Amino acid sequence: MAEQHCKSYVFASWEKFETELREGGMSPSLVELAKWSMKEEELQIKLILASDLAGYYVKQHFYEPSEETLTAVDTPVLLLRSTLPKEFNSHREEEATRLSQYLSVTVEAVEEASHEIYWERPNTVSSQISRWIEN
């Protein structure tokens, strides 16, 4: 899936790239930051990350011994998770449930945020972390 995403995340121009991100709800400043992850090649705008490398990375970390690693964590954990795209929320909830088997975890949704929650909702993230620390 990672390889396919990298291969298909292509735009005909910088303008089309910017338009799609803005229409997806990204602020102009975040669109500018996102440009650093892209390159112009063969008259297209593509991710800098090569699709085969993305695939290797995912495969390398797929078999990470999570039970061994997670059971060694003995402090409470705050997990902030995105809510966009909505079609991934069931998977996010399943993973949070899986993590709760190993960790003392508090899960907080960062509403109307996608993968880059810290860029997209910095004030919300800051508030959620502060509230969690105070409790």
Side-chain angles (χ1 to χ4, degrees):
M1 286 175 47
E3 287 182 62
Q4 184 57 38
H5 169 72
C6 288
K7 288 178 183 175
S8 66
Y9 199 69
V10 176
F11 302 88
S13 68
W14 285 109
E15 182 179 78
K16 291 197 184 294
F17 169 76
E18 292 174 21
T19 299
E20 183 166 321
L21 270 58
R22 282 195 307 270
E23 287 176 355
M26 196 174 276
S27 70
S29 61
L30 291 179
V31 171
E32 288 302 313
L33 284 172
K35 285 182 180 179
W36 286 96
S37 66
M38 307 299 288
K39 64 182 175 183
E40 189 168 352
E41 181 180 275
E42 300 173 3
L43 302 175
Q44 294 180 319
I45 308 306
K46 301 177 178 184
L47 282 167
I48 290 172
L49 177 63
S51 60
D52 57 340
L53 292 179
Y56 295 142
Y57 179 82
V58 170
K59 287 174 189 171
Q60 179 184 26
H61 293 281
F62 185 76
Y63 293 107
E64 186 267 330
S66 55
E67 185 175 347
E68 291 174 31
T69 303
L70 295 174
T71 54
V73 176
D74 61 0
T75 58
V77 174
L78 173 62
L79 172 64
L80 299 177
R81 69 167 190 83
S82 62
T83 59
L84 298 176
K86 293 183 186 311
E87 53 268 19
F88 292 157
N89 282 335
S90 62
H91 179 69
R92 291 179 183 111
E93 291 164 9
E94 288 171 11
E95 282 301 300
T97 299
R98 185 180 72 82
L99 289 174
S100 70
Q101 295 173 22
Y102 306 105
L103 300 170
S104 171
V105 64
T106 301
V107 181
E108 295 281 339
V110 180
E111 297 297 332
E112 299 304 311
S114 62
H115 184 69
E116 306 294 346
I117 62 173
Y118 307 100
W119 282 5
E120 295 172 24
R121 299 286 182 256
N123 293 335
T124 300
V125 169
S126 174
S127 295
Q128 288 174 306
I129 292 170
S130 294
R131 272 196 316 273
W132 184 75
I133 290 171
E134 290 171 1
N135 291 328

